[in-house]
Amino acid sequence: MDYLRISITDRCNERCLYCMPEGYKGWELQRDHLSAGEIIRVVRVAVGLGFRKFRLTGGEPLVRSDVVEMVRAMAAIPGLECIGLSTNGTRLAPAAQSLRDAGLRTVNISLDALDPQIYRRITHGDVAAVLAGIRAAVAARFERVKLNCVLMRGVNEQELWPLVLFAAEHGLPLRLIELMPLTRTDVLTEKNFLPLGEAMQILGQRDELIPQPDRKLGHGPAKYYLLQHTGALVGFIGAMTNLHFCEACNKMRLTADGKIRPCLGNHGEIDLRATLRDSRDDGPLRAVLQEALRVKPLEHQFRDQYSPGRPMTAIGG
Ligand code: SAM
């Protein structure tokens, strides 16, 4: 277990229908958000326990104004190997170069559709801003820029092929992600769930998918295929249909309000914020992280009629 995903805010400037329930009012109070100093302290202690890879996420991490300083401070911690960022890309264009200069190494950008209307229907946002963010990320020469697309039947399946062509054209890996039950129970239904197998069939009608079993891009569970003719590299992330999904799980999450969540698909969380604020000594903090490692479940519960407690925006993607 060497990978910690840190949500630095539960706020987001988009409203993706699979991530934040419509009319969501469950925002954490600002005073309950961890400060940059508190986050850096957790990272330092986590590095001492063997964590090596960190990803800043949210909500939308780029709505927080101190993100560049946070990256810079993290990058200076000895033993830390990699800092990544997950973003919707809409605010990336003006920030990309400063983030790169501060020590950010990899960026994952959500892109569920290229068609502006479909993109807006899913996210309520503006795809032109995301495309500008992608161009800026490429120009800033991050070590890796990946595109993430959540699959939804009847919503963006006709966008899959245009996304593949876009990924090939820009030389960026595209990851297709199965919808997980993380907003309301009715977001994940038989009707709108598009399994990876079917997405593969859709792409297979246009190109040949060649498995890349040795291709590891980053630290996640994606299985990669090269599309022979387009040259696109497509990763498939199937938390719902891949029964071996959890076997190689190497990560835990820290929520913006300071809870350690050992597994995305399990309600268990351990409060770290109180310890952070009550104790100047790092020992108790270390003990909380070690306890979280001890209780990490072997498997998620998404297939067991899981009912989301906190939505994805509050947990951190
Ligand atoms: N705002 C950033 C973004 O858009 O990437 C970071 C946070 S977002 C929660 C991180 C990732 O989680 C995104 O790739 C998003 O598509 C994915 N995600 C959110 N809700 C999901 C769900 N219900 N099922 C599958 N993936 C989901």
Side-chain angles (χ1 to χ4, degrees):
M1 207 65 55
D2 63 352
Y3 182 14
L4 186 63
R5 285 207 185 176
I6 302 174
S7 171
I8 62 173
T9 177
D10 61 350
R11 309 298 202 265
C12 189
N13 60 331
E14 292 198 321
R15 294 286 179 272
C16 299
L17 44 91
Y18 48 74
C19 186
M20 191 190 297
E22 217 179 311
Y24 179 63
K25 296 269 186 318
W27 309 112
E28 303 301 336
L29 299 173
Q30 286 297 350
R31 65 164 185 267
D32 291 337
H33 274 112
L34 298 190
S35 67
E38 288 169 333
I39 290 171
I40 303 307
R41 187 174 162 210
V42 175
V43 172
R44 212 175 345 94
V45 172
V47 169
L49 285 173
F51 284 85
R52 293 289 173 264
K53 300 140 195 164
F54 295 82
R55 170 168 299 279
L56 300 182
T57 181
E60 171 49 43
L62 297 185
V63 303
R64 203 166 148 160
S65 58
D66 52 1
V67 59
V68 175
E69 287 70 34
M70 229 183 281
V71 169
R72 191 172 295 117
M74 283 170 69
I77 297 174
L80 184 150
E81 284 172 13
C82 187
I83 312 171
L85 176 84
S86 285
T87 172
N88 60 34
T90 53
R91 296 187 175 198
L92 187 54
Q97 194 59 57
S98 334
L99 286 164
R100 182 69 183 115
D101 295 344
L104 188 73
R105 293 170 68 163
T106 69
V107 182
N108 290 356
I109 303 172
S110 292
L111 184 64
D112 296 325
L114 284 167
D115 177 280
Q117 279 167 7
I118 301 178
Y119 183 86
R120 187 171 290 283
R121 178 177 164 209
I122 299 169
T123 66
H124 291 73
D126 174 14
V127 74
V130 185
L131 299 181
I134 294 171
R135 282 194 295 274
V138 172
R141 297 187 177 276
F142 288 101
E143 288 174 21
R144 227 176 2 247
V145 177
K146 294 188 279 199
L147 305 175
N148 282 344
C149 165
V150 177
L151 297 168
M152 281 164 290
R153 187 192 297 289
V155 180
N156 64 351
E157 69 220 288
Q158 71 275 38
E159 287 294 291
L160 292 188
W161 189 246
L163 283 168
V164 164
L165 295 180
F166 179 86
E169 185 192 338
H170 292 84
L172 304 175
L174 169 70
R175 284 120 48 88
L176 303 180
I177 305 173
E178 272 178 355
L179 186 63
M180 295 178 276
L182 284 165
T183 34
R184 299 178 318 235
T185 355
D186 62 332
V187 165
L188 182 82
T189 62
E190 299 266 334
K191 207 168 128 257
N192 61 21
F193 179 69
L194 184 70
L196 286 189
E198 219 174 303
M200 285 176 141
Q201 274 175 12
I202 294 174
L203 300 186
Q205 286 163 3
R206 308 251 195 173
D207 203 343
E208 193 178 338
L209 278 75
I210 304 170
Q212 307 285 301
D214 301 327
R215 206 80 177 244
K216 270 252 139 248
L217 297 184
H219 326 291
K223 298 224 178 312
Y224 285 94
Y225 287 75
L226 185 68
L227 271 67
Q228 189 173 25
H229 300 294
T230 57
L233 189 62
V234 182
F236 293 87
I237 303 181
M240 305 304 289
T241 59
N242 175 359
L243 301 181
H244 301 283
F245 189 76
C246 302
E247 281 173 9
C249 182
N250 59 348
K251 61 174 161 291
M252 296 205 304
R253 287 177 159 79
L254 175 64
T255 67
D257 61 332
K259 306 277 193 305
I260 286 284
R261 183 149 172 140
C263 169
L264 178 62
N266 184 298
H267 293 300
E269 291 179 355
I270 303 178
D271 185 29
L272 194 70
R273 193 181 68 222
T275 313
L276 254 175
R277 294 189 176 169
D278 292 349
S279 165
R280 283 167 166 247
D281 173 15
D282 286 343
L285 210 55
R286 208 172 299 120
V288 175
L289 284 170
Q290 280 169 324
E291 174 62 7
L293 287 167
R294 197 183 64 75
V295 301
K296 181 170 170 71
L298 287 176
E299 256 193 333
H300 68 64
Q301 297 179 322
F302 285 146
R303 285 182 287 265
D304 307 330
Q305 295 187 322
Y306 183 85
S307 152
R310 299 220 273 176
M312 184 67 136
T313 193
I315 300 171

